Amino acid sequence: MGKMSNDVVDSGGIEVIIQSENDKTAPRCPHGPALLFEKTGNGEEKGRRFYACSACRDRKDCNFFQWADDKISEARMLAREEQNRSKMPPFTHQEYCSRFREFVSFPLEQRRFCVDCQLLILPREWANHVKHKALSEDITVQQLKRPSLLLSPLDNKKSNAQYLFADRSCDFLLDMLLGLGFQKILCVGTPRLHEVIKFRNKEGKSPTMKSLLLDIDYR
């Protein structure tokens, strides 16, 4: 990646400036480091460069914008950091892992999932979710191995749309890919396909496939 510094990828009227992997100057929005863009025109001089969100294509989803040559004051930087923190998930990744381990330690009748908050809730938190819609069924370990069956899909096509294929569709796709000789699969926004690959590997019902899930979903 380091050798790609200042290379340009044409994106139809707006160019994406691919910076060095070691370049730490990119500002951050709630979705991570921003991308550097440059407006272009037919026969005209190159336009002014600016930073925008790397994940969302619609300003309604993330309105982050900064001219590349802007000098950001300390007060503005602190305000931005505070705004980024306010849009972060309610728990850190480490806290989510700790909560999950505690959740599975409880007996079946004490495991609840809040549909409104899309969150596994602990018994001490039940009172905070009493007016929310919670699953009446007890959450089994088997359900926890297939989180896409619990979580509502993200469906914003301009940011993080997810495709939750039926198991029959997943089996068809995987059998076809195996038949074509593919054993390494990159699942982009397809968490259920990734789950089925993991499940099939564990069951040993078909040749082992390696899968990597790319998805913007902290859940």
Side-chain angles (χ1 to χ4, degrees):
M1 285 293 290
K3 294 182 180 179
M4 295 177 66
S5 176
N6 296 326
D7 285 354
V8 174
V9 176
D10 192 354
S11 186
I14 295 181
E15 294 179 342
V16 181
I17 311 301
I18 301 179
Q19 299 174 284
S20 167
E21 197 174 61
N22 298 322
D23 191 338
K24 307 297 184 182
T25 61
R28 300 179 69 90
C29 72
H31 304 97
L35 279 180
L36 181 62
F37 296 89
E38 183 176 73
K39 291 185 178 180
T40 59
N42 295 328
E44 299 178 2
E45 292 184 5
K46 290 187 179 296
R48 192 175 176 188
R49 293 185 175 186
F50 63 92
Y51 287 101
C53 180
S54 62
C56 302
R57 291 176 289 180
D58 195 324
R59 294 287 297 278
K60 294 179 181 178
D61 297 315
C62 182
N63 62 3
F64 178 84
F65 180 90
Q66 178 186 315
W67 292 114
D69 55 4
D70 264 0
K71 293 184 178 180
I72 308 301
S73 67
E74 184 177 353
R76 186 178 169 189
M77 184 66 70
L78 291 173
R80 177 182 294 167
E81 290 175 357
E82 179 59 33
Q83 182 185 28
N84 288 349
R85 280 194 295 270
S86 71
K87 295 183 178 181
M88 289 291 102
F91 303 101
T92 65
H93 178 71
Q94 185 176 2
E95 289 171 335
Y96 273 117
C97 291
S98 177
R99 288 174 59 87
F100 181 82
R101 287 192 292 268
E102 184 177 2
F103 184 87
V104 296
S105 71
F106 292 122
L108 192 61
E109 63 273 11
Q110 292 187 18
R111 298 176 190 166
R112 294 288 183 272
F113 175 76
C114 180
V115 176
D116 289 350
C117 299
Q118 294 286 282
L119 181 70
L120 298 172
I121 54 177
L122 306 177
R124 60 177 177 272
E125 300 168 341
W126 288 359
N128 299 331
H129 300 262
V130 69
K131 294 183 179 180
H132 297 180
K133 181 181 178 181
L135 288 184
S136 56
E137 298 88 0
D138 302 323
I139 307 303
T140 65
V141 172
Q142 200 61 30
Q143 285 176 293
L144 294 174
K145 291 179 179 179
R146 299 290 305 276
S148 71
L149 299 177
L150 279 176
L151 300 170
S152 301
L154 302 177
D155 56 7
N156 187 334
K157 294 181 180 179
K158 292 186 177 181
S159 56
N160 46 9
Q162 293 173 326
Y163 298 89
L164 301 185
F165 300 113
D167 283 356
R168 186 173 66 174
S169 298
C170 291
D171 288 335
F172 170 79
L173 288 170
L174 296 178
D175 289 342
M176 179 183 66
L177 292 170
L178 279 171
L180 293 171
F182 294 103
Q183 292 184 312
K184 295 180 180 179
I185 310 299
L186 183 63
C187 299
V188 182
T190 54
R192 187 164 295 168
L193 186 64
H194 177 71
E195 289 173 359
V196 172
I197 292 173
K198 296 292 186 183
F199 180 77
R200 286 169 59 140
N201 286 345
K202 187 175 182 181
E203 293 294 310
K205 294 181 179 179
S206 60
T208 299
M209 302 181 78
K210 292 185 177 180
S211 172
L212 177 64
L213 175 64
L214 294 184
D215 206 355
I216 305 175
D217 185 354
Y218 69 85
R219 299 174 303 169

